[in-house]
Amino acid sequence: MLIGKDVSIKDTDVKGRVVDETKNTLVIDTDKGLKRIIKDKNRFVVYANEKEIKIRGEEINLRPWEYAI
């Protein structure tokens, strides 16, 4: 599950903390407010345990409990 993790979206200026997650989207709390981002067509960088984890949206286009990070 990505809720509570800091993320950024490759090739955009969107970055922030994930506050909600569905099968197809992430809701990210950014400096400009909440943004709902479609997982399928994006690439994400997740910041966890002082590491950067690069993830293609197709890999996590599942319900949060159906995958493990």
Side-chain angles (χ1 to χ4, degrees):
M1 292 182 52
L2 296 175
I3 295 174
K5 302 279 193 276
D6 291 324
V7 299
S8 64
I9 300 172
K10 299 278 281 181
D11 304 325
T12 71
D13 62 347
V14 176
K15 61 177 85 171
R17 182 160 292 185
V18 177
V19 294
D20 194 18
E21 181 176 5
T22 67
K23 178 180 178 186
N24 298 310
T25 65
L26 293 177
V27 178
I28 301 173
D29 186 10
T30 70
D31 291 339
K32 297 179 181 180
L34 295 177
K35 305 282 184 188
R36 183 173 299 271
I37 306 296
I38 295 172
K39 291 178 183 178
D40 190 38
K41 302 296 180 187
N42 288 296
R43 294 179 294 160
F44 301 92
V45 178
V46 179
Y47 303 95
N49 300 326
E50 299 179 12
K51 295 181 181 179
E52 291 184 359
I53 303 167
K54 296 176 182 170
I55 301 172
R56 290 181 297 126
E58 299 86 32
E59 296 173 347
I60 60 170
N61 200 23
L62 303 164
R63 290 176 184 87
W65 60 86
E66 294 178 333
Y67 69 88
I69 298 258

